[in-house]
């Protein structure tokens, strides 16, 4: 359950939106196919929460990579593959790596009040989260990948809250597009937020009615909508 948070008596200082870094577009040839990727070089001072195969969970991260792979991807070492791609691009330190078979060139980017979301999307294989049957079967690379960046310091609970907010916004966009689904079985998400400075208060909430949660939700909704409806 997401709480509606009353205004804080002590305002939380928020850095300028310019603190959000832009993604660099990479290109490589793999198995005879030219494949793009997006690399965010965050540098020090950022924490992420992610469901990614590489660098998932919560912790300080210096880069985020969203790499397109060929349909029929069969490698069984995606963590090693992503780490090698990031190193080849000059990224160093701990990072987050996501894979997708969706067209990275058809990505969509949306901003709202300093919050930014970049989405790569393909919905050829989609379903409802609470589908009948047992899980456990091997899955192909993620199809709807969400990378969001917030120029604000969030506590651990707020980071988890931000993942829920981004997921809610994704489902809302899919329903607005007329899709009868909650996503694909392999969707992935990464939310990056600044580490707090000395004595800086962190935001305790990132639900859809909080300051940064509302901005995040609108940015993700628009990016998912645009990426998914693109030809």
């Amino acid at each position: 359950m997401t709480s509606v948070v009353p205004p804080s008596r002590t305002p939380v200082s928020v850095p300028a939106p310019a603190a959000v870094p832009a993604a660099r577009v990479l290109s490589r040839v793999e198995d005879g196919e030219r494949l793009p990727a997006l690399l965010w070089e965050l540098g020090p001072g950022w924490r992420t929460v992610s469901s990614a195969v590489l660098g998932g969970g919560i912790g300080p991260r210096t880069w985020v990579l969203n790499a397109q792979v060929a349909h029929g991807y069969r490698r069984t070492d995606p963590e090693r593959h992503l780490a090698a791609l990031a190193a080849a691009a000059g990224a160093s330190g701990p990072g987050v790596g996501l894979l997708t078979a969706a067209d990275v060139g058809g990505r969509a980017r949306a901003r709202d009040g300093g919050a930014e979301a970049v989405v790569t999307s393909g919905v050829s294989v989609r379903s409802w989260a609470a589908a009948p049957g047992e899980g456990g079967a091997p899955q192909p690379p993620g199809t709807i990948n969400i990378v969001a960046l917030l120029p604000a310091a969030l506590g651990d609970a707020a980071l988890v809250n931000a993942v829920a907010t981004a997921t809610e916004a994704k489902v809302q966009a899919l329903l607005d597009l007329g899709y009868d689904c909650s996503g694909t079985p392999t969707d992935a998400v990464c939310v990056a937020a600044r580490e707090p400075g000395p004595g800086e208060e962190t935001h305790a909430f990132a639900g859809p009615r909080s300051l940064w949660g509302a901005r995040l939700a609108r940015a993700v909704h628009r990016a998912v909508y645009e990426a998914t409806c693109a030809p």
Side-chain angles (χ1 to χ4, degrees), residues 62-91:
T62 59
W63 53 267
V64 178
L65 177 70
N66 185 20
Q68 182 177 336
V69 295
H71 290 277
Y73 182 79
R74 290 291 181 268
R75 287 189 61 157
T76 58
D77 59 344
E79 298 96 333
R80 182 178 298 180
H81 187 196
L82 284 161
L85 292 177

Side-chain angles (χ1 to χ4, degrees), residues 24-112:
R24 179 158 60 98
V25 181
L26 309 175
S27 181
R28 72 190 191 281
V29 175
E30 201 167 88
D31 296 328
E33 185 174 352
R34 183 165 294 279
L35 297 167
L38 301 174
L39 177 65
W40 287 262
E41 296 169 290
L42 303 176
W46 289 83
R47 293 200 310 152
T48 67
V49 57
S50 179
S51 62
V53 65
L54 174 67
I58 296 177
R61 304 288 185 265
T62 59
W63 53 267
V64 178
L65 177 70
N66 185 20
Q68 182 177 336
V69 295
H71 290 277
Y73 182 79
R74 290 291 181 268
R75 287 189 61 157
T76 58
D77 59 344
E79 298 96 333
R80 182 178 298 180
H81 187 196
L82 284 161
L85 292 177
S92 61
V96 174
L98 306 93
L99 292 175
T100 182
D103 178 19
V104 167
R107 67 190 177 278
R109 173 175 175 262
R111 299 191 72 184
D112 190 294

Side-chain angles (χ1 to χ4, degrees), residues 26 77 82 109 116 119 138 147 150 162 166-167 210 215:
L26 309 175
D77 59 344
L82 284 161
R109 173 175 175 262
E116 179 170 314
V119 172
V147 176
L150 304 175
T167 302
S210 67
R215 296 172 178 180

